[in-house]
């Protein structure tokens, strides 16, 4: 696991976008595993800039998103499908038919999970998986649990995740309580993983993820077992790691 510390969130976005751009340049037909949340927004902004400058071409890329809320339609402005369209897809030349995301409106969870696993399999797996991290160490929506989930699964969101996501919804009652998410095994099968995190609120979980025990109670800790993970964090998110286990930080 390589940990790169950037001076701030903007710089984080530049570094992470450079890594994704390198992937797409070296393999134009890359399958990009994409993430939502506030953490990857500066990364997406920088990817858009590169595309607009003519430095990046997504026309042969595929995208497979990590997760989606159960019950939200694609045109709901809080759905992850909407987020991806607004924050990346509509600004670049990726073909919408090459983008994939779990279908939050499918009520049959077993069917949807099997469908999404088949989609990822048909793509040949993920080349580069972008991840954020929840305060409790969740990746995608894989919440702390007794064991690591394998394929796509339906999750009952923890109260802390529901509370953290409440800021995006008008009313508390509107916050979905379930989500479909790629499983940990699928995430771990990505050839390369890029995790981004910023802000002091993430400092403790970044420390636990990088230097703590590997446990499904901190789902992101399993990334320690992957052989090609780059963690890009700003100074604030790196603070506890810097203080307690600086040997993990590059440079
Ligand atoms: C949600 C998403 C995760 C994301 C996390 C952190 O739960 N499902 O993919 O990593 O939020 O969000 P943020 O980046 O806004 O802190």
């Amino acid at each position: 696991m390589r940990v790169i510390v950037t001076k701030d969130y903007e710089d984080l976005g530049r570094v992470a976008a450079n890594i994704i751009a390198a992937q797409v340049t070296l393999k134009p037909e890359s399958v990009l595993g994409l993430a939502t949340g506030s953490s990857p927004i500066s990364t997406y902004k920088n990817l858009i800039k590169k595309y607009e400058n003519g430095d990046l071409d997504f026309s042969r890329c595929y995208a497979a998103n990590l997760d989606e809320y159960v019950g939200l339609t694609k045109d709901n402005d809080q759905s992850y499908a909407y987020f991806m369209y607004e924050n990346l897809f509509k600004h670049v030349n990726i073909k919408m038919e090459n983008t994939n995301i779990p279908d939050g409106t499918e009520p049959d969870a077993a069917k949807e999970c099997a469908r999404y696993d088949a989609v990822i399999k048909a793509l040949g797996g993920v080349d580069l998986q972008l991840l954020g991290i929840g305060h409790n160490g969740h990746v995608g929506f894989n919440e702390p649990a007794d064991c690591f989930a394998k394929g796509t699964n339906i999750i009952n969101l923890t109260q802390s995740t529901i509370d953290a996501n409440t800021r995006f919804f008008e009313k508390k009652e509107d916050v979905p309580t379930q989500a479909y998410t790629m499983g940990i095994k699928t995430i771990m099968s990505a050839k390369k993983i890029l995790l981004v995190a910023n802000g002091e609120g993430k400092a403790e979980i970044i420390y636990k993820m990088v230097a703590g025990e590997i446990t499904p109670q901190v789902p992101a800790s399993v990334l320690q077992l992957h052989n090609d993970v780059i963690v890009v964090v700003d100074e604030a998110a790196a603070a506890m790691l810097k203080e307690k286990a600086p040997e993990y930080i590059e440079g």
Side-chain angles (χ1 to χ4, degrees):
M1 196 180 261
R2 297 177 55 190
V3 182
I4 298 173
V5 181
T6 63
K7 65 175 191 302
D8 56 23
Y9 178 60
E10 287 317 307
D11 204 29
L12 176 157
R14 273 193 295 276
V15 172
N18 283 344
I19 293 167
I20 297 171
Q23 170 70 38
V24 173
T25 305
L26 291 170
K27 185 178 178 188
E29 66 285 4
S30 287
V31 178
L32 301 175
L34 297 177
T36 54
S38 52
S39 311
I41 289 180
S42 66
T43 304
Y44 292 149
K45 284 202 170 121
N46 279 280
L47 287 176
I48 294 165
K49 244 189 252 167
K50 286 176 188 297
Y51 165 72
E52 287 171 350
N53 291 341
D55 292 330
L56 200 49
D57 175 13
F58 291 93
S59 63
R60 287 156 66 193
C61 281
Y62 296 84
N65 259 83
L66 280 169
D67 47 11
E68 180 60 282
Y69 288 118
V70 171
L72 299 194
T73 55
K74 281 189 167 78
D75 58 355
N76 183 307
D77 63 6
Q78 291 308 325
S79 76
Y80 286 170
Y82 188 93
F83 174 101
M84 287 311 302
Y85 187 70
E86 289 299 317
N87 287 290
L88 182 65
F89 297 155
K90 79 171 184 189
H91 303 284
V92 299
N93 66 338
I94 193 163
K95 297 190 176 91
M96 281 310 288
E97 64 269 28
N98 288 353
T99 67
N100 299 279
I101 190 157
D103 179 359
T105 63
E106 172 56 63
D108 183 338
K111 185 177 163 199
E112 181 53 17
C113 294
R115 182 196 72 83
Y116 203 59
D117 282 342
V119 165
I120 293 166
K121 193 172 172 203
L123 290 172
V126 172
D127 288 301
L128 172 62
Q129 178 66 57
L130 176 63
L131 295 175
I133 185 170
H135 292 98
N136 59 7
H138 73 234
V139 282
F141 263 132
N142 293 281
E143 297 278 36
D146 293 335
C147 58
F148 292 113
K150 294 179 183 135
T152 306
N153 58 105
I154 184 164
I155 294 282
N156 292 320
L157 302 176
T158 62
Q159 195 55 47
S160 73
T161 299
I162 295 170
D163 293 345
N165 291 343
T166 302
R167 65 197 149 124
F168 300 116
F169 292 83
E170 257 173 46
K171 291 184 274 160
K172 221 177 170 172
E173 312 83 82
D174 293 344
V175 189
T177 56
Q178 289 188 309
Y180 290 128
T181 182
M182 250 186 217
I184 291 291
K185 186 178 175 194
T186 314
I187 293 171
M188 288 293 282
S189 302
K191 295 189 185 81
K192 202 182 214 358
I193 294 176
L194 169 61
L195 186 142
V196 291
N198 62 286
E200 56 184 346
K202 296 284 171 72
E204 186 177 355
I205 198 61
I206 288 297
Y207 168 68
K208 285 187 180 163
M209 173 188 80
V210 175
E213 190 194 347
I214 298 169
T215 162
Q217 294 299 331
V218 181
S221 63
V222 75
L223 300 177
Q224 292 177 37
L225 299 178
H226 192 284
N227 65 6
D228 194 354
V229 178
I230 304 181
V231 177
V232 186
V233 281
D234 69 355
E235 286 282 355
M240 192 178 285
L241 191 63
K242 225 175 186 175
E243 188 196 319
K244 295 193 174 179
E247 65 275 18
Y248 287 96
I249 297 173
E250 203 160 280

